[in-house]
Amino acid sequence: MLHLFGGTAPFTSANIIILLRIPLELLLLSLPLQGRSHLRHQRKNSDMIQSDEERKWKTLDSTRLFDRPWLTVRRDKVQLPGGQINDEFYVLEYPDWVNVIAITEEGLFVMEKQYRHGIGQVSYEICAGVIEEGESPLDAAKRELLEETGYGEGEWEESMVICGNASTTNNFTHSFIAKGVKKVSTQHLDRTEDIEPVLMNVEQVKELLYSDSVKQALMAAPLWKFFAKEGLL
């Protein structure tokens, strides 16, 4: 039990008013050495706590090094909360993206198979694309699904909003779930796209996840979340 200034009066609610008027350092003198150390440690930790706003870096200067429709490279000079200066911090700017877990009326997943030049592999994916200027994420997701697979309609909901690399990229990916979609059109691909729609059942998609066959992390994340939420794992 704590006692005030080495006396016999216990630390109770009755003497809180007295304590409020006592300077902290004077109060520390009344405590055992172990208690003083603990309180000083607690005060030091509380002094170090920062709000989210205080943790933000200040951009002192920014220069665009490369500017194309699908990618912009930016070099920032930033100041950290502790005052340190980083003269070269590089950020890759992209438009926001969408992707869609599309499930037919029969319960089949509308997957896609295509070659990805970055990793030099053909892999399975869900439908995905870029949000065009002035377009809402939902409208972009519906457009991309129709263009890439010919599937549409159904009931739509946003599942999550994630970032591929929060350290060096500035865009977000809006992930949607579309249940009860059906074939309403043919594909309308861009001249550089080569996409093969593939219908797969729950077990086949689960196997893709377990075998790490979905290489794109921004697509694997919403799939894992969907399977977990639906109790399909």
Side-chain angles (χ1 to χ4, degrees):
M1 177 181 294
L2 276 176
H3 291 79
L4 296 179
F5 303 103
T8 59
F11 182 82
T12 67
S13 59
N15 46 47
I16 287 179
I17 300 301
I18 297 175
L19 288 178
L20 291 175
R21 296 178 179 176
I22 299 174
L24 178 60
E25 292 302 326
L26 185 59
L27 177 60
L28 287 174
L29 293 175
S30 71
L31 299 177
L33 289 177
Q34 184 178 3
R36 298 180 202 175
S37 175
H38 176 71
L39 280 182
R40 285 196 177 101
H41 179 70
Q42 291 292 97
R43 185 177 65 167
K44 182 179 179 181
N45 285 346
S46 66
D47 290 343
M48 294 173 61
I49 295 175
Q50 294 177 305
S51 67
D52 289 349
E53 193 63 30
E54 290 172 328
R55 289 178 182 273
K56 289 184 178 180
W57 298 357
K58 293 180 181 178
T59 302
L60 305 178
D61 187 48
S62 186
T63 303
R64 290 199 167 188
L65 306 177
F66 183 80
D67 195 348
R68 298 293 294 163
W70 305 111
L71 170 64
T72 296
V73 181
R74 180 180 99 222
R75 182 181 63 219
D76 289 348
K77 179 179 180 180
V78 296
Q79 181 179 24
L80 281 61
Q84 306 94 322
I85 302 294
N86 186 337
D87 291 311
E88 294 187 57
F89 192 90
Y90 295 90
V91 178
L92 306 179
E93 297 183 355
Y94 296 95
D96 282 354
W97 299 325
V98 292
N99 59 42
V100 186
I101 298 174
I103 305 171
T104 68
E105 296 174 303
E106 296 76 27
L108 299 176
F109 289 74
V110 183
M111 303 295 291
E112 297 180 353
K113 192 175 182 181
Q114 63 177 312
Y115 171 75
R116 289 302 190 183
H117 190 62
I119 60 174
Q121 295 182 17
V122 175
S123 67
Y124 287 96
E125 303 179 350
I126 56 178
C127 170
V130 174
I131 301 177
E132 296 181 353
E133 187 174 352
E135 193 175 33
S136 72
L138 178 58
D139 287 340
K142 290 182 176 181
R143 174 183 52 75
E144 289 289 349
L145 182 66
L146 185 63
E147 290 176 355
E148 294 186 357
T149 70
Y151 281 82
E153 301 185 11
E155 297 181 0
W156 291 69
E157 65 172 317
E158 189 170 62
S159 169
M160 61 196 306
V161 181
I162 50 180
C163 181
N165 185 342
S167 175
T168 58
T169 62
N170 73 330
N171 70 324
F172 292 90
T173 295
H174 298 257
S175 298
F176 289 88
I177 300 170
K179 294 182 178 180
V181 300
K182 52 189 176 184
K183 189 80 170 178
V184 296
S185 177
T186 58
Q187 285 179 294
H188 294 85
L189 301 177
D190 294 338
R191 65 179 183 86
T192 58
E193 290 181 316
D194 181 14
I195 299 173
E196 176 189 353
V198 181
L199 297 180
M200 308 182 79
N201 61 34
V202 169
E203 292 303 317
Q204 289 172 317
V205 177
K206 188 191 301 185
E207 179 57 30
L208 291 180
L209 291 173
Y210 283 153
S211 62
D212 295 333
S213 296
V214 180
K215 297 301 184 184
Q216 171 54 270
L218 291 171
M219 300 178 183
L223 280 169
W224 277 112
K225 180 179 179 179
F226 175 81
F227 272 70
K229 190 175 179 180
E230 296 290 327
L232 299 173
L233 295 176

